[in-house]
């Protein structure tokens, strides 16, 4: 209880209690896990030491209830699932769609999933559930054709050719200029031969054009599988974008991977936050935080279960 009191006190001193009207940590009965209960809160602040703190999230009461009542039915396939169906991309019966937030995104997102990726483990489905109009999930090798769209589509991948988010507009504009020139003046001349000239002329490309990026692609798979998808000719020639290094909160660390290897929903979230500030040049005010609606809840459950486990083992050893 001291620990719980400490967290509440810390939140109080940080002036956050005015927003979260009540924050309790409660031990669930007959269940070895803890959960955080918040009532009447617009914004949710998880325990002070949590990396997902300060997110502007919708009330997660619906998830708390669903967690207490256990698995429920998928209204599409009839399967028994927790929170949502990872094959139909819909919430289950005891998580009504109108009680989960809807996130508006500034661009479309394609997620390419490797067929061997275990559906239940992927966080890609969170994006589809929370921003259904903006997100499409494809299972490799059934992916769209991006031919002729390489001036408005980019792929998130940290490779040797990757550029940073703030340079996306510049590089896409260059591609548009290449295309225009290719059509008008030099139809037979391949783009790469003109590279040097463009680099010299390219200085004013960022000015007053806004962004031309319409779609961003994420690959949802383990590291080895990603390389197989990347070599697909349909993805060749697309602009590759890398994210700023951020530490992951992902609870299923991939073996041998550094803790900067983000889960798909984290990668999407951080991409959008940077896109908002670096490309749209607007102040970020939590517009995409609800993309972590499921993720932060599940993360907290696992963290609390781990804490409960640690406490149990402490009891046993002392
Ligand atoms: Zn289903």
């Amino acid at each position: 209880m001291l620990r719980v009191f400490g967290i509440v006190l810390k939140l109080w001193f940080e002036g956050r209690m005015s927003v979260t009207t009540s924050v309790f940590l409660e031990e669930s009965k007959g269940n070895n896990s803890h959960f955080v209960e918040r009532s009447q809160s617009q914004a949710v602040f998880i325990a002070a030491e949590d990396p997902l703190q300060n997110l502007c999230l919708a009330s997660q009461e619906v998830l708390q209830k669903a967690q207490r009542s256990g698995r429920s039915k998928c209204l599409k396939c009839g399967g028994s699932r927790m929170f949502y169906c990872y094959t139909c991309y819909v919430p289950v019966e005891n998580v009504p769609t109108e009680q989960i937030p809807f996130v508006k995104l500034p661009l479309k997102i394609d997620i390419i999933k490797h067929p061997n990726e275990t559906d239940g483990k992927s966080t890609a489905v969170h994006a589809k559930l929370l921003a259904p109009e903006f997100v499409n999930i494809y299972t490799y090798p059934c992916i769209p054709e991006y031919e002729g769209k390489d001036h408005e589509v980019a792929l998130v991948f940290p490779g040797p050719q990757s550029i940073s988010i703030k340079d996306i507009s510049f590089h896409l504009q260059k591609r548009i200029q290449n295309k225009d020139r290719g059509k008008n003046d030099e139809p037979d001349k391949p783009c790469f031969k003109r590279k040097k000239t463009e680099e010299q002329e390219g200085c004013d490309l960022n000015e007053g054009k806004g962004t031309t990026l319409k779609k961003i692609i994420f690959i949802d798979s383990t590291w080895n599988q990603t390389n197989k998808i990347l070599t697909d000719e349909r993805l060749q020639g697309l602009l590759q974008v890398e994210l700023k290094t951020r530490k992951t909160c992902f609870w299923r660390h991939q073996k041998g991977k550094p803790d900067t290897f983000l889960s798909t929903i984290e990668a999407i979230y951080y991409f959008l936050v940077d896109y908002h500030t670096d490309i749209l040049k607007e102040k970020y005010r939590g517009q995409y935080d609800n993309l972590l609606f499921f993720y932060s809840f599940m993360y907290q459950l696992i963290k609390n279960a781990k804490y409960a486990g640690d406490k149990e083992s402490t009891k046993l050893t002392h």
Side-chain angles (χ1 to χ4, degrees):
M1 272 320 282
L2 263 181
R3 181 185 152 89
V4 174
F5 188 56
I7 290 165
V8 173
L9 259 187
K10 195 163 179 0
L11 289 168
W12 172 264
F13 280 118
E14 285 173 19
R16 289 168 176 171
M17 291 304 279
S18 54
V19 191
T20 47
T21 45
S22 63
V23 179
F24 340 84
L25 272 168
E26 192 178 299
E27 195 162 343
S28 59
K29 291 159 194 94
N31 179 328
N32 200 25
S33 69
H34 296 240
F35 59 91
V36 181
E37 191 159 85
R38 307 167 194 92
S39 58
Q40 299 164 12
S41 60
Q42 289 303 309
V44 165
F45 300 103
I46 305 168
E49 73 271 25
D50 199 294
L52 296 174
Q53 64 176 309
N54 297 338
L55 293 173
C56 285
L57 294 178
S59 166
Q60 288 169 315
E61 211 180 322
V62 63
L63 299 182
Q64 288 154 12
K65 277 188 195 159
Q67 197 245 330
R68 271 172 272 176
S69 55
R71 284 165 167 262
S72 172
K73 204 172 70 182
C74 166
L75 294 171
K76 265 197 174 172
C77 73
S80 170
R81 306 272 191 266
M82 193 66 165
F83 304 131
Y84 55 82
C85 179
Y86 46 77
T87 40
C88 305
Y89 311 142
V90 290
V92 287
E93 198 173 18
N94 68 3
V95 181
T97 311
E98 59 276 12
Q99 287 183 40
I100 64 167
F102 173 78
V103 188
K104 247 180 119 180
L105 306 184
L107 77 176
K108 299 267 186 187
I109 292 178
D110 279 359
I111 301 171
I112 299 173
K113 194 165 70 87
H114 193 278
N116 291 354
E117 186 73 1
T118 319
D119 284 334
K121 281 187 178 177
S122 168
T123 61
V125 59
H126 296 186
K128 182 66 184 167
L129 288 163
L130 297 161
E133 286 176 20
F134 301 90
V135 177
N136 281 305
I137 300 180
Y138 300 93
T139 304
Y140 189 81
C142 299
I143 65 168
E145 284 289 344
Y146 299 107
E147 206 185 337
K149 293 190 176 151
D150 65 349
H151 60 290
E152 55 182 38
V153 177
L155 172 73
V156 172
F157 179 76
Q161 308 292 321
S162 302
I163 57 143
S164 64
I165 291 172
K166 64 176 172 41
D167 295 327
I168 290 177
S169 295
F170 172 78
H171 285 274
L172 291 180
Q173 290 291 344
K174 260 181 21 179
R175 285 175 183 232
I176 290 170
Q177 286 200 348
N178 278 355
K179 272 195 204 321
D180 290 347
R181 267 183 231 167
K183 268 184 220 152
N184 303 333
D185 316 317
E186 307 157 286
D188 301 325
K189 205 172 176 184
C191 296
F192 60 85
K193 284 192 179 169
R194 298 198 305 270
K195 198 170 185 299
K196 204 172 174 186
T197 331
E198 257 124 43
E199 226 109 79
Q200 290 157 354
E201 291 171 358
C203 306
D204 58 347
L205 287 176
N206 270 337
E207 310 257 322
K209 297 266 186 175
T211 178
T212 52
L213 185 66
K214 293 197 174 137
K215 187 176 277 178
I216 186 81
I217 307 168
F218 290 84
I219 297 174
D220 180 54
S221 71
T222 60
W223 195 249
N224 292 337
Q225 293 164 350
T226 298
N227 282 322
K228 271 179 222 150
I229 295 175
L230 262 184
T231 54
D232 189 291
E233 60 173 14
R234 289 166 293 180
L235 300 177
Q236 298 308 303
L238 287 179
L239 191 62
Q240 294 187 357
V241 180
E242 66 183 347
L243 305 176
K244 279 180 203 159
T245 307
R246 281 192 167 101
K247 227 174 164 179
T248 183
C249 304
F250 198 32
W251 56 84
R252 291 186 193 98
H253 271 303
Q254 296 197 20
K255 231 181 180 179
K257 295 289 169 284
D259 57 7
T260 48
F261 195 84
L262 300 171
S263 67
T264 301
I265 195 67
E266 283 175 301
I268 292 172
Y269 172 71
Y270 288 127
F271 171 84
L272 289 168
V273 172
D274 287 347
Y275 179 85
H276 198 81
T277 49
D278 293 345
I279 305 275
L280 301 181
K281 309 274 184 209
E282 287 174 31
K283 194 168 165 41
Y284 183 67
R285 296 178 200 277
Q287 290 90 333
Y288 316 119
D289 284 11
N290 271 325
L291 283 178
L292 301 176
F293 179 74
F294 291 103
Y295 184 78
S296 62
F297 186 80
M298 291 158 87
Y299 171 78
Q300 194 63 33
L301 281 181
I302 285 159
K303 202 176 143 214
N304 291 343
K306 192 177 175 292
Y307 171 65
D310 287 350
K311 215 171 76 175
E312 283 305 308
S313 58
T314 313
K315 265 186 207 164
L316 289 173
T317 50
H318 290 276

